[in-house]
Amino acid sequence: MFPNVAIRAFLKCSAGILRESCTVSSVLAAKSWTDNSTLLGPRIISVAGSLTPATPVRYYARAAKTKRTVPPSQLSDLPPTMLKMDYAAVPLAQTTDEVIKRLLSLELACHREKLHLKTEQLVSKVQKDENDRSSMEVRIAILTARIRNYQEHLQKNHKDKANKRRMLMAIDKRKKLLKKLRLVRYDAFEHVCEQLGITYTFPPEYYRRVTRRWLAKKAFCIKVYTEVQKQKAEQRQKMKQSSASTNTDVASNQ
């Protein structure tokens, strides 16, 4: 009995040693494989003596970010050292301290004050006199400054539907005023477009949405028109022939 127990213990020890040697060799082989094939394929991880491929890591080339070119603002020509409208006519503001002068200038002014100053500059180009605030030229200048401000805002916030609607309403209103001014005083119309930098495009005389039904109806009308013209031409030809025959009969009778 004792020899059998000794043999069994020896076999268990030898089996354990063989198992450990197999796991060590597999780990070393996997390690060498991963070291040599990092650039050729996916890595291999050994778990409990088995080789399982890991998920490949892919490094895609990222496209370079392109900066959008934003056109210059209409307020870019206003120098920051210019005083605000409320203090431009005050002589004391020109000789005051630099800190106070900086507070009164456009350097620390808000966007509304700058837009108001730009609107007054556009109005001064087209108004008839200093007290003119209700003529068509002045209203066109005010709408132009407002439309350009909306356009600059929508370039940065293209999802702002409310301001887009306001911009379209202002464009329609300015278009009506320009059309009326062009019919009433064409010289003033040309002066306003030149001073404000407006490109006036003439509206189409007739506009209709093109549909399949309209195209079929138009083709049918053209076909009917050509057939009618052919019938009229045949009738004119017959009338000419009949008039020519009557003239020959009258000449022969005489």
Side-chain angles (χ1 to χ4, degrees), residues 236-252:
R236 286 195 294 268
Q237 189 69 21
K238 289 180 180 179
M239 290 177 64
K240 287 181 181 180
Q241 291 178 359
S242 62
S243 62
S245 63
T246 54
N247 290 334
T248 55
D249 293 341
V250 170
S252 62

Side-chain angles (χ1 to χ4, degrees), residues 185-251:
R185 289 184 288 118
Y186 190 78
D187 54 348
F189 167 77
E190 286 188 341
H191 177 71
V192 168
C193 291
E194 181 181 358
Q195 294 295 326
L196 301 180
I198 299 174
T199 303
Y200 182 79
T201 56
F202 296 96
E205 296 181 358
Y206 178 74
Y207 173 76
R208 180 165 183 163
R209 184 181 177 185
V210 179
T211 58
R212 293 182 180 178
R213 181 177 180 180
W214 181 78
L215 289 174
K217 186 177 180 180
K218 185 177 180 180
F220 178 73
C221 292
I222 292 173
K223 188 175 181 180
V224 170
Y225 177 76
T226 53
E227 291 295 331
V228 170
Q229 293 299 321
K230 286 181 181 179
Q231 292 179 3
K232 289 184 179 179
E234 292 176 358
Q235 290 178 0
R236 286 195 294 268
Q237 189 69 21
K238 289 180 180 179
M239 290 177 64
K240 287 181 181 180
Q241 291 178 359
S242 62
S243 62
S245 63
T246 54
N247 290 334
T248 55
D249 293 341
V250 170

Side-chain angles (χ1 to χ4, degrees), residues 109-137:
C110 61
H111 182 77
R112 181 180 295 180
E113 294 175 347
K114 294 180 181 179
L115 182 62
H116 182 58
L117 181 59
K118 188 64 181 180
T119 304
E120 292 299 325
Q121 287 183 357
L122 295 180
V123 167
S124 63
K125 292 181 180 179
V126 297
Q127 65 181 356
K128 300 176 182 178
D129 50 23
E130 296 180 356
N131 299 324
D132 182 17
R133 302 296 300 181
S134 60
S135 62
M136 284 191 288
E137 295 92 329

Side-chain angles (χ1 to χ4, degrees), residues 20-30:
E20 290 179 0
S21 62
C22 290
T23 55
V24 169
S25 61
S26 62
V27 168
L28 293 175

